[in-house]
Amino acid sequence: MMQPNPNRDVEVSQPPNDGISSLNFSSKANLLVASSWDNMVRCWEVQGAGTVLKSSITQKAPILSTSWSGDGTRVFTGGCGNTADVWSLATNQTQQFAQHAAPVKSVFWIEEMQALATGSWDKTVKYWDGRQANAVCTANLPERVYCMDVKYPLCVVGTAERHIVIYDLRKPQTEFKRISSPLKYQSRVVSCFPDKAGFALGSIEGRVAIHHVEDRDNSKNFAFKCHRENNEIYAVNVIAFHPTFGTFATAGADGTFNFWDKDSKQRLKPFLRCSAPISAGAFNMDGGIFAYAVSYDWSKGHEYYNPTTQKNSILLHGVLESEIKPRGNSGKKR
């Protein structure tokens, strides 16, 4: 029988009571936030070999995405209430920050723009500065936002019908490039390279594409299979780049996570399979911790989810340099 914590990682205390939709570490301290389908956002402090739940808020609808402010004092949230909100950790108060005509799938605070980017199922990405009720800028998309990532000035949006729209955020209203996904099936997750030269894209069909923005780098593009077992194929739910080494983690609906090096095209470290899908994951600010959520990811529909028996947990893996450092090179960020 599969175990919920076969890799013997640290369990986060008082985890969410429903499906976990996102995990995010602060860039200023070892603070971790998680959003979930129970309408709550929770914040823990990682202390030594354990965690302490610092605070939590309840909102009106399930939360799909979170993003920290640059100074680490606020958390932005987006979800099924068609809004993005800002949560002040000092006061534990929330207020509306953005409005869409459909659920908000992705939120990203962009420090360089002093603005929040929100990607929605209403087929737009909007930018908000908080000083006015309306968006300061709107980019119209061909379809609903399914996944999105920002590493200024690069923004990559994956939509329904396999569109990939790339923006240079110095001109956020203008598409830099639009392509069809290099993968044949629905986009599930996208993550920009640390050097902003491209992105990794994961699909529901157990495959990841490594893709560069500029045509001159096309020869470096490739795709690989992952999160498969025999004839079973699982969704890729997580792609997270390590902040120091430029290597990355993937996690999927099969309940496993792996560390990879795209430049040498090899898997650095596989981990043991958990008893439920891994729905979210993130490295902390120095890459010494990889947090991952063992939680139903809706990949098989609502009929496969029983909230009375499904345990949701967040686990913290202490990352060894030997697991994540590229092999045979200097190990610099790429």
Side-chain angles (χ1 to χ4, degrees):
M1 182 177 176
M2 287 187 293
Q3 301 298 313
N5 185 13
N7 298 290
R8 299 183 179 180
D9 290 326
V10 174
E11 291 197 41
V12 169
S13 61
Q14 298 174 261
N17 301 315
D18 206 339
I20 299 164
S21 54
S22 76
L23 295 175
N24 259 306
F25 277 102
S26 167
S27 63
K28 300 298 184 183
N30 268 335
L31 297 173
L32 174 68
V33 292
S35 60
S36 64
W37 285 82
D38 62 5
N39 302 6
M40 292 185 70
V41 186
R42 295 166 173 85
C43 178
W44 297 264
E45 183 176 2
V46 180
Q47 299 179 342
T51 59
V52 175
L53 182 66
K54 300 288 285 185
S55 54
S56 63
I57 55 164
T58 301
Q59 298 189 314
K60 296 177 182 177
I63 312 302
L64 303 178
S65 181
T66 54
S67 181
W68 284 88
S69 64
D71 61 6
T73 64
R74 299 174 296 162
V75 175
F76 297 92
T77 67
C80 296
N82 301 0
T83 65
D85 299 275
V86 59
W87 172 27
S88 169
L89 294 176
T91 65
N92 210 38
Q93 300 297 308
T94 63
Q95 65 183 62
Q96 185 175 320
F97 203 83
Q99 177 75 52
H100 279 267
V104 177
K105 178 63 174 68
S106 301
V107 295
F108 291 92
W109 175 256
I110 306 170
E111 186 70 13
E112 296 86 349
M113 297 173 67
Q114 288 295 295
L116 182 73
T118 54
S120 170
W121 293 344
D122 68 7
K123 306 181 185 179
T124 66
V125 173
K126 295 176 183 282
Y127 299 86
W128 314 78
D129 64 7
R131 294 191 291 269
Q132 52 188 297
N134 296 324
V136 295
C137 177
T138 298
N140 293 306
L141 295 163
E143 256 293 354
R144 293 152 289 163
V145 173
Y146 279 177
C147 56
M148 178 174 167
D149 194 27
V150 173
K151 283 190 176 65
Y152 187 88
L154 178 63
C155 172
V156 182
V157 183
T159 75
E161 305 300 330
R162 298 177 48 252
H163 299 287
I164 306 296
V165 186
I166 301 167
Y167 294 93
D168 179 340
L169 290 175
R170 290 165 291 199
K171 297 179 180 178
Q173 280 178 296
T174 306
E175 290 184 14
F176 180 79
K177 182 183 286 188
R178 186 191 298 190
I179 63 172
S180 290
S181 171
L183 304 176
K184 295 178 181 178
Y185 292 87
Q186 178 182 305
S187 301
R188 185 80 164 174
V189 60
V190 67
S191 184
C192 299
F193 299 166
D195 68 4
K196 306 157 192 175
F199 55 89
L201 178 72
S203 77
I204 61 170
E205 188 242 351
R207 200 180 293 260
V208 168
I210 301 298
H211 199 87
H212 293 75
V213 172
E214 298 290 353
D215 292 342
R216 65 174 178 267
D217 294 325
N218 280 352
S219 63
K220 301 178 185 177
N221 296 342
F222 67 97
F224 64 93
K225 298 175 183 177
C226 52
H227 301 287
R228 299 172 176 224
E229 185 176 23
N230 300 321
N231 293 324
E232 292 288 318
I233 300 173
Y234 298 90
V236 180
N237 293 329
V238 177
I239 301 175
F241 280 91
H242 190 271
T244 304
F245 295 122
T247 48
F248 64 98
T250 65
D254 58 342
T256 68
F257 66 102
N258 302 278
F259 294 162
W260 309 85
D261 181 2
K262 67 178 174 60
D263 297 320
S264 63
K265 298 183 180 180
Q266 65 177 326
R267 182 166 66 175
L268 298 171
K269 174 79 174 180
F271 292 89
L272 296 174
R273 186 177 185 180
C274 302
S275 57
I278 297 176
S279 60
F283 286 104
N284 72 333
M285 58 184 175
D286 65 7
I289 300 170
F290 179 68
Y292 59 101
V294 181
S295 176
Y296 187 56
D297 61 354
W298 310 102
S299 58
K300 291 187 175 182
H302 69 88
E303 63 269 27
Y304 279 79
Y305 180 60
N306 185 343
T308 61
T309 59
Q310 172 70 60
K311 178 189 176 188
N312 300 284
S313 58
I314 300 171
L315 301 169
L316 305 179
H317 176 75
V319 179
L320 302 176
E321 189 170 297
S322 59
E323 297 173 340
I324 196 68
K325 189 174 181 178
R327 293 174 188 156
N329 56 40
S330 60
K332 292 181 179 179
K333 186 185 293 186
R334 294 180 308 288

